[in-house]
Amino acid sequence: MTITAPSKAPATLDTVIESAEKVADEVLSLELRKVDGTDFPAWEPGAHIDVHLGDDLIRQYSVCSTPDDLSVLKIGVLRTPDSRGGSAYVHEHLTPGTALTISAPRNNFPLLKSRKYLFIAGGVGITPMIPMLEQAEAEGKEWVLHYGGRSRTSMAFADELLAKYGPEKILLYANDEDNGLDLNAVLALPRAHMLVYACGPGGMLTAIEELCMGWPPGVLHTERFVAAELGAASSSEPFEVELAQTGGSVKVQPNQSIVDAVEEAGARVLSSCRAGLCGTCETRIISGEPEHRDAVLTQEDKDAGEVMLVCVSRAAAGCSRLVLDL
Amino acid sequence: MTTIIEPTVFTEDPFTEAAIADPYPFLERLREAGPVSYLEATGTYAIVGYKEVYEVLMDFETYVSSGGLGPRDIREDDAWRPPSILESDPPIHTVMRRALTGVINPGTVRALREPFTLPAVEIVSELAKLDSFDVVTQLAEKYPIRVFPDAVGLPEEGREHLLPYGNMVFNAFGPENYIYQQAFANGDEHSAVVMKLCARESLDDVGFGSKIWDRVKDGLITEEQAALLVRALLSAGVDTTIFGIGNTLSVLARYPEAWQRLRENPTMAKFAIDEALRVESPFQKFHRTVATDTVLGNVHIPAGSKILVFVGAANRDPQKWGDDAAEFSLDRSSSGHVAFGMGLHQCVGQPIARLEMEIVLQEMLEKFETLELDGAPSPLIHNVLRGFDSIPVKVTPSR
Ligand code: HEM
Ligand code: FES
C-alpha cells in the first residue's frame, strides 16, 4: 500500500535492491538488504517503511517479509495513477543492484492480542496482512483471510498464501470470476473475542466500517490504502499536542495515542472504548490538521476538521503540532 | 490449570426492598461470597467481580442476550413483548445495531447541544429562585422528558406514557415480585400507546425515529424491526438518564469540595459525571443466559443457567478501583467502568445521555455556589435501576 509521506524524514537506512520481481499484474515485489550487510532493526507485523524516491518524493509501503529474518525487507508496490509518479518510478527504475534509501520500519497498524482474527484484504492491501497471518498462525490463533481483487492475476501472493495455509483459511475472490468479495456475507455474524483487520482501497474500508457498526465497538482495525493524490496520511513522526485548557503541551510518540500521551503527562481526557467507536473522547481542534482514524465521525465532520477522536486519530503528515481543547 | 470450585451459596435475595434501598452493604456481603456465587433465592449465579463481569459482557457467544435480560428465558416462555435489540444476538442484533449506530452517533448527537441547552437553562433558572428544592421531581424528572422525545420526533400526545412504560421494561429485568406487579399496573395501556408512538406515521420527519425508519427503505431492517428500534430508544432512553442526573447530583451534594472545584473548572463536569456513574450506576444489574457449559471465576456454570450481572458491583470492585472504590473522587480516572455496559450491547444512547447530563450539570454549576443535601434522599424501589424518588437539597445561588 502507498501513502503520501511528509517531506521531512527521520533517520534513514542505506539499502540495495536484492531482487525486483513482478508478482501480479502491476505489482512489483522488491527485496532490500542493508548496504553494510547488517540486519534491519526489529519490526512487527503491520509495519511500513518510508521509501525515498527522489528529492522530495517519499512513499510509504507495508513490509511483507517475515520479522523472523531481519536480513531482508520485502515490500509490494502497485503501479497507480499517481500524480507525482511515485509508483511508476518504482516500476520503471528500481532494478536489482539499485541503491535505495529507506526509513527504519515503523508501525501504525499493530496486531493486537486477541483469541480470533478476521483478516480482509483488497488488492495490494494484502501486504501488511502477510506477516500478520504468520504471527496468528504461529500463536495458534483461530483466523481466516478473505482476499479480494479485480482478477486472480492482479492478486499478489495469492497462490503462495493458498499453498501455505490451505483453502479453509485463505478465501480468494476475483471480481472477473463472478465471485467478488461479498463483505456483507463476510461480516454478517460478529464473533466474540474476534478482531477484524482490514487493508485495501477506501471504498472497501468505508463499507467495512459501516458493517462493523453491528460488531462490538473497537474490533475493527484498518489501514487505508490511499492513492497518492488523495489527502494526507498520518505521520509516523512524533507530534506535539498543546493543551489549551490545561496549559502546556505533550509529545505523542508514533506508537502512542493522544489519550495515552496526555494521561501519561498527568493531564486528563475522557475516554471509554479507546478504539474510535464510541465518540466519548471527541475533542475540539483549535488548530492543526488531524488524520481521522475513527469510525464514528461522518465524512462531513472529518472534512470540517473541527473535532477529532483523540483515542485513535493523530496529527496529519506534515502537521507537527495540534492545539486541542483539552 | 484452574481448579474448579463449588460456588458459595448466598441466601439473601437481591430483589428485596432492603437490598434495593441500600444496595451497597448488600453487595459487599455478596462480594465476600466471591466474584461468582450462587443465589439460592432466584436459582441464578451472581457475577460481581469486575474481571468476571467484563468477561461476560465481552463473550456474547457464551453469555447470550436472546434469553432476555430478566430471570426467565424468554425463548421458553411467552415474553410479554416482542424481543428488543437488547434481547437479541447476532446476526439479528447485527443489523439492528447497524441501523441504530448509523442514526445515533457523536456526529448526529452534537447537533443536539443547542436544542438541549435552552430547556436546561429554563428549568435551572426557575430553581435558582429557591433556597431548597427536590432534585428528582423538580429537575431530573423534568429535563429528559422535555428534550429526549423531541429528539426522537414524538408527537406531544402520549408522552406521559413513557415513564411508566420505561418502568415496566426495566422492572421486568427482575423477578415477577410485587415491585414488578406494581410497575405493570395499567401495563397494557402504556404498551399500546408506546407501540403506536413507534409507528412511522406518529413520528416527525427530522428526529431519530424517522431516520431509523429510513433504513427500512434501504432494505437493512424490516418495518417490524424499525418499530422495535424506536421502542428501544423510548424504553431505554428516559428513566436511565433521569437517574443518571439524579444520582450525579446526589453524589455531588455529598462532596462540597468537588462542587467548588467544578465551579472553578466547569470543563471537568464530564469527568465528574463519569465518576458518579461509576459509584452510583443507574443500571445496576441485568441477566444473561449461559449458552454452553462454561467456567467463570473458577466456578462451573451449566448451559441454560441464568446469571445476574451486577455492573454496579463491578464498578466498585476494590481489585479494579482500589480500596477507596466506594468513594467518589474527581481525580480518579473512571475509564473502563461498565455503567453503560461494554462490547456488543454497549449503550447506543451513551452520547445522548452524556450530553443531557453535562448540560444540566454545567447549568447547575453556573447558578449555584453551593449544593447540599437537605435531608436524606429517598431511594426508589426498583428491581434493576438505582435511583431516588426524592433528593431534597439546599442551595446558595451564585452572586
Ligand atoms: C445514564 C444513562 C444510561 C445508562 C446508565 C445506560 C445503560 C445501558 C447499559 C448498561 C446497556 C447495556 C445492556 C446490556 O449489555 O445488556 C445499555 C444498552 C442500550 N441503551 Fe443505554 N443507558 C443510558 C442511556 C440511554 C439512552 C439515552 C438511550 C437512547 C437514546 C439508550 C439506549 C440504549 C439501547 C438502544 C441499548 C441496547 C444496545 C444493544 O443491545 O446493542 N440508553 N444502556
Ligand atoms: S474513547 Fe471511544 S471513540 Fe475515543
Side-chain angles (χ1 to χ4, degrees), chain B residues 69 85-86 93 97 148 236-237 240 283 288 339-341 345 347 349:
Chain B
L69 270 65
I85 175 172
L86 209 52
H93 176 269
R97 179 85 191 197
F148 185 66
T240 45
F283 199 175
R288 290 283 194 264
F340 287 110
H345 292 275
C347 184

Side-chain angles (χ1 to χ4, degrees), chain A residues 1-10 12 48-62 82-84 86-87 101-104 106 108 224 226-237 289 291 293 315-320:
Chain A
M1 52 151 287
T2 46
I3 330 178
T4 346
S7 47
K8 196 180 129 289
T12 55
H48 68 269
I49 53 172
D50 293 348
V51 175
H52 296 240
L53 297 170
D55 280 347
D56 216 14
L57 190 57
I58 297 176
R59 289 288 176 270
Q60 297 180 322
Y61 298 102
S62 299
D82 167 346
S83 59
R84 300 197 47 207
S87 64
T101 305
I102 67 168
S103 70
R106 280 187 310 261
N108 290 336
R224 229 159 243 276
V226 186
E229 55 277 358
L230 294 176
S234 65
S235 168
S236 36
E237 289 291 278
E289 195 197 334
E291 130 97 349
R293 294 194 178 184
C319 167
S320 57

Side-chain angles (χ1 to χ4, degrees), chain A residues 271-274 276-281 309 311:
Chain A
S271 68
S272 174
C273 72
R274 291 179 176 243
L277 275 129
C278 71
T280 306
C281 66
L309 298 176
C311 64

Side-chain angles (χ1 to χ4, degrees), chain A residues 154-165:
Chain A
S154 75
M155 291 165 61
F157 310 111
D159 296 329
E160 212 173 302
L161 291 170
L162 190 60
K164 185 164 173 190
Y165 300 113

Side-chain angles (χ1 to χ4, degrees), chain A residues 44-310:
Chain A
E44 288 185 351
H48 68 269
I49 53 172
D50 293 348
V51 175
H52 296 240
L53 297 170
D55 280 347
D56 216 14
L57 190 57
I58 297 176
R59 289 288 176 270
Q60 297 180 322
Y61 298 102
S62 299
V63 183
C64 62
S65 46
T66 166
D68 292 342
D69 179 2
L70 295 177
S71 67
V72 291
L73 281 187
K74 184 156 94 175
I75 57 176
V77 180
L78 174 72
R79 188 181 183 125
T80 52
D82 167 346
S83 59
R84 300 197 47 207
S87 64
Y89 181 91
V90 170
H91 277 250
E92 284 155 25
H93 299 281
L94 298 188
T95 50
T98 315
L100 195 64
T101 305
I102 67 168
S103 70
R106 280 187 310 261
N107 205 338
N108 290 336
F109 191 40
L111 187 66
L112 304 179
K113 289 263 165 290
S114 185
R115 296 184 204 165
K116 300 171 187 169
Y117 297 99
L118 175 63
F119 297 103
I120 308 176
V124 78
I126 189 65
T127 46
M129 304 273 151
I130 292 171
M132 291 188 180
L133 306 182
E134 197 176 295
Q135 178 172 328
E137 181 76 3
E139 291 176 351
K141 303 291 167 115
E142 183 184 322
W143 64 269
V144 62
L145 167 75
H146 296 273
Y147 177 14
R150 258 179 301 108
S151 64
R152 275 298 290 273
T153 52
S154 75
M155 291 165 61
F157 310 111
D159 296 329
E160 212 173 302
L161 291 170
L162 190 60
K164 185 164 173 190
Y165 300 113
E168 311 240 289
K169 284 184 168 159
I170 305 291
L171 294 131
L172 304 174
Y173 308 86
N175 289 340
D176 68 350
E177 289 171 23
D178 267 358
N179 74 336
L181 178 49
D182 178 359
L183 294 171
N184 246 307
V186 165
L187 290 163
L189 186 68
R191 303 289 315 275
H193 294 295
M194 181 181 265
L195 295 182
V196 180
Y197 276 79
C199 182
M204 175 183 124
L205 294 186
T206 305
I208 292 175
E209 276 164 7
E210 206 278 323
L211 288 162
C212 280
M213 283 184 177
W215 285 59
V219 299
L220 177 64
H221 299 264
T222 60
E223 178 133 272
R224 229 159 243 276
F225 169 110
V226 186
E229 55 277 358
L230 294 176
S234 65
S235 168
S236 36
E237 289 291 278
F239 56 92
E240 205 65 46
V241 170
E242 187 180 320
L243 310 172
Q245 296 264 359
T246 322
S249 69
V250 299
K251 188 164 220 160
V252 184
Q253 298 298 337
N255 59 354
Q256 218 183 10
S257 69
I258 296 180
V259 169
D260 290 340
V262 169
E263 285 183 346
E264 258 171 47
R268 308 216 28 201
V269 49
L270 194 70
S271 68
S272 174
C273 72
R274 291 179 176 243
L277 275 129
C278 71
T280 306
C281 66
E282 184 179 297
T283 302
R284 210 164 60 79
I285 303 166
I286 294 167
S287 72
E289 195 197 334
E291 130 97 349
H292 296 286
R293 294 194 178 184
D294 61 275
V296 284
L297 294 181
T298 59
Q299 198 53 49
E300 262 172 24
D301 286 333
K302 288 182 179 172
D303 295 343
E306 282 165 11
V307 293
M308 68 188 291
L309 298 176
V310 290

